[in-house]
Amino acid sequence: MTCVKWLAVPAGMFGLFLLWLPLSLQAQLVLSFAVLGVMFLAMTRPKNTTLRLVTFTFAGILAMRYAFWRTTETLPSIHEPLNFIPGLILYLAEMYCLAMLAISFFMLADPLKRKAPDLGDAADLPTVDVFIPSYNEEPELLAGTLAAAKSLHYPKDKLNVYLLDDGGTEAKRNHKDPRISIAAIRRHEQLKALCASLGVHYHARKQNDHAKAGNLNEGLKVSNGELVVVFDADHAPVREFLRETVGFFAKDKKLFLVQTPHYFLNPDPLEKNLQTFARMPSENEMFYSILQRGLDKWNASFFCGSAAVLRRAALSAANGFSGQSITEDCETALALHSKGWHSLYVDKPLIAGLQPETFVSFIGQRARWCQGMLQILILNRPFLAKGLTLAQRICYAGINLFWLFPLSRLAFVFSPLLYIFFSLEIYQANILEFASYAVTYLIGSFAMQSYLYGRVRWPWVSELYEYVQSVLLFGSIVSVIRNPRKPTFNVTAKGQTLDRSMLSPLARPYFIIFFVLLAAAIYSGYRFLTEPVATELLTIVAGWNLINLGLAGAALGVVAERRELRRNQRLPVKRHALMKVDGKLKNIIIQDASSGGISVEFVEQAPEIDLDTPLEATIQLRRAGQIIAFEVICRSSREAGGGTVYGFAYKERTPETFMAIAELMYSDQAVLQERLVRRQVRHSFFWGTSRFALWSIRETLRALRYSAGLMRENAVKSFADAPIVVKENNAQIPGRAVELPPVLTGTQAYG
């Protein structure tokens, strides 16, 4: 830290000197390339903290020179309001990005990587309560998470698991609508029986006050463990979760939080629809693998709602979980940091969860995050909160301000159109000025993105994620700014399937924007061909619009939903077991497992299996000297790796079955770690750009094909629903609509 402070002073003075240094365009270009050269040289040693700060310093020089030039040379005259007003909006969007860049440099100055301390004597371990809050999740999903929580490696007399059910509250069971009350009563009884069979506690409060935060606070009232663990209903922990986290609390009596990453078994809509899940790092890996580690340096890593351990004494000091905003997790962490409590982050995947499968549920989740973070920014004002250090103020402000990105992203998308269609000069620069300042700044920015996040984020993917969210989050931002207390907590749908490929119900604005940008690209080409001397500004703006068009084309692929029939996500486990068939034991290798079944390869000769009369068998697993047995039934077979792999489904969904699923899927943390690391491969900017260009073309064509299919379906439906008019004696008699039989509809209609 001393080295950091000593380097910061001269680096800052040098940056200020270069900021105000008057230079010709040629000298600026030479300086920019020299700075880029120093940056690229320092980037060759990414783990060296000193060189990391050198990289940040010289990237900051490029950014500050650009900001100074952008402020003093490029803004339209205030006496030309048609140019000045949109020009000022674009300028503010760029300054927002520069501010977020500066905050990210601060947050990522020296990311931490922690190792779990030894737990010590079992008799000295704290008591732990595991909370699994639920609202409307299916019992089968909950059973998997409860079984995994019950299987945690920890003294059983010091561990209690609670299902906090907000779907079976007393208010719902007594609701005046009989449909609601019957469903709540049925759920209440079903989950009580499930919890009793698994040996966990069931609790349903009187009514749903303050959403998830209120449910967790109710859990605090009915439990008394020294530590509280929170898992979302779909977040199943690995067996070692507590052994990797609890030990930190003995080292620091002021520690209130140990947060771990959220790891997902299924793709989000972008990964699913662009078919990148097996190869590309997930969106959340940038936050959990990079940013949370950076926040940890400044005692600013925060609660993310699940996969975390909290100290009860700290929660009691803050009157429980905060519920003023709809992101109770970050708000709770802010309140406890303000009271002098500490947090830390363990960068190791210790839970396996689900993320939204459809674009509608994805946007619903992000709208809640966006509005909740802006609520905290407006209502809690972290940059002014008492008790926070300066570093914590900067970190929290950055975390909350990030969710204004839709405003800047949309400004970047629509600004080029003002010049292309209306010749409004909102960015005044010639090609040499643009190259000397803007292009070199952009090169430095992309280089820094690759340097900081290249292992966990492919080039252009951040821009795509921002764009697909920005189109629909703009209204969410306006709503929360107008009334910060208006947003309400909505549960994110998980475990959904699509039985056919289709356009998302939210696709329309993405198609409209795409065709507007396409028209702008065509019109800019027309202007190049017809105007005697095409301006340099037109060249800049037309290129800018083409990049936006590429983003919009790739986004069409995101809203063109591919069908997804698999509900149960598989994990490779490579586990030896015994299968009892017709009284004989067979050695098998369980290749992978899911909550629906297992894939099995026989070590010796496989028994005779006829899929028309499915084989029933018993699987025996050995764990710590005990035998875990469960029944399966063969459903399929396939050839793989020179052998035959058989698919077995669980015969019955008993508590023993769910305990076996937990043993198979969540007993080995290394399985999650290996899947995570396998995808974290750094790619060059040129590779990423070519890949993104391919997406833009391919996904645009696919989305247009889906759109054409939808129009054909609507045309057929309109024809089938149209009233039949019969002419009789020159009079028109309306008849009822006739539904064509299936054999005569669509392409099967007899010609």
Side-chain angles (χ1 to χ4, degrees), residues 172-319:
K172 287 186 176 180
R173 299 198 304 271
N174 296 320
H175 199 279
K176 62 182 180 181
D177 186 335
R179 293 181 180 86
I180 295 176
S181 64
I182 291 171
I185 292 170
R186 184 182 295 120
R187 175 185 174 87
H188 179 75
E189 296 301 325
Q190 189 176 16
L191 292 183
K192 275 181 67 177
L194 172 65
C195 290
S197 66
L198 290 172
V200 305
H201 303 279
Y202 174 84
H203 181 73
R205 54 183 173 148
K206 289 185 177 181
Q207 56 189 22
N208 305 78
D209 291 331
H210 302 292
K212 183 179 177 181
N215 198 10
L216 292 172
N217 286 331
E218 187 72 16
L220 292 175
K221 296 177 184 178
V222 299
S223 61
N224 55 15
E226 298 167 71
L227 301 180
V228 173
V229 179
V230 180
F231 296 127
D232 279 347
D234 59 294
H235 284 189
V238 300
R239 188 191 301 167
E240 300 299 309
F241 183 91
L242 294 177
R243 301 190 69 84
E244 295 284 347
T245 54
V246 168
F248 290 103
F249 287 90
K251 304 293 183 182
D252 182 359
K253 298 303 180 182
K254 290 292 289 181
L255 180 66
F256 83 90
L257 169 72
V258 175
Q259 178 66 54
T260 70
H262 294 183
Y263 176 83
F264 298 115
L265 296 175
N266 66 317
D268 68 23
L270 187 148
E271 294 168 317
K272 181 192 72 174
N273 297 327
L274 300 188
Q275 298 180 315
T276 65
F277 184 60
R279 308 182 311 277
M280 186 179 77
S282 292
E283 181 207 17
N284 69 319
E285 290 179 36
M286 188 172 90
F287 174 73
Y288 284 112
S289 295
I290 306 295
L291 289 173
Q292 275 280 41
R293 289 174 51 214
L295 293 171
D296 196 14
K297 172 71 177 181
W298 307 109
N299 185 28
S301 58
F302 63 93
F303 180 36
C304 297
S306 179
V309 188
L310 301 101
R311 191 187 296 270
R312 180 182 292 268
L315 290 170
S316 299
N319 297 318

Side-chain angles (χ1 to χ4, degrees), residues 212-213 216-217 220 256-257 301-305 310-311 314-316 318-325 327-339 341 376 380 396:
K212 183 179 177 181
L216 292 172
N217 286 331
L220 292 175
F256 83 90
L257 169 72
S301 58
F302 63 93
F303 180 36
C304 297
L310 301 101
R311 191 187 296 270
L315 290 170
S316 299
N319 297 318
F321 294 89
S322 302
Q324 181 176 224
S325 75
T327 46
E328 81 298 325
D329 41 18
C330 183
E331 186 183 353
T332 299
L334 174 61
L336 288 168
H337 276 134
S338 299
K339 293 180 180 296
W341 291 89
I376 294 173
N380 299 84
Y396 270 106

